[in-house]
Amino acid sequence: MRNRTEPLSTMLHFEDFASGQSYDLGSLTVTKEDIVDYAAEFDPQPFHLDEDAGKASLLGGLAAAGLHSASLVMRLVATGLLNKCASRGSPGIDKLSWRRPVYPGDTLNATLDVLDTRALRSRPDLGMVFIKVTADNQNGKTVLRWENPILIAKRSPAP
């Protein structure tokens, strides 16, 4: 797999995020070896390990496990944005959907949209940024989408 974009060059804080912003997180290409190696370790179902089993399945071919696809996109989220912002983690993913299989040779392109922001009264040093992450394949077809909040440190905590 290969990340073809560079991360942001400045540290972002809660104050830098606003509803409606969109971030291009870059892309990576998935190989057959990536799919089989992940499946052998974490999801050893036949359609993730063997081309013939994949062809005989509803997936229509050897395909990445759903959580593998999500992990690949998480790499793009981390390198494309989170590693350059004052992220303090996330309380979880609210929605996650796999829209299409990811096949060997697919190039995943990810974007992150800011849905909303909210300062936290209980933690004046943090804010919550609500995001939607979308990954499309090289044909512009959405392969997965998720929504979740992220805790991000404020540059200047409220008194």
Side-chain angles (χ1 to χ4, degrees), residues 103-155:
Y103 299 112
D106 278 355
T107 297
L108 304 181
N109 305 290
T111 57
L112 181 148
D113 296 308
V114 177
L115 301 175
D116 199 7
T117 63
R118 181 173 24 120
L120 297 179
R121 290 184 186 154
S122 62
R123 292 287 310 263
D125 59 325
L126 295 176
M128 191 83 78
V129 177
F130 298 87
I131 64 167
K132 176 178 73 173
V133 175
T134 305
D136 297 334
N137 64 20
Q138 67 280 358
N139 300 316
K141 302 291 185 184
T142 299
V143 297
L144 74 81
R145 183 177 296 141
W146 80 63
E147 293 182 20
N148 71 285
I150 301 173
L151 294 164
I152 299 182
K154 291 182 179 179
R155 184 176 289 109

Side-chain angles (χ1 to χ4, degrees), residues 2 18 33 35-36 39 44-45 47 61 65 74 89 96-97 100 106 109 120 128 145 152 156:
R2 191 167 55 112
E33 293 76 23
I35 292 170
V36 172
Q45 297 182 75
F47 42 81
M74 185 63 213
L96 171 61
S97 62
R100 286 184 171 70
D106 278 355
N109 305 290
L120 297 179
M128 191 83 78
R145 183 177 296 141
I152 299 182
S156 305

Side-chain angles (χ1 to χ4, degrees), residues 13-25:
H13 289 79
F14 174 73
E15 296 88 344
D16 298 312
F17 292 92
S19 179
Q21 290 174 323
S22 186
Y23 294 88
D24 177 5
L25 302 175

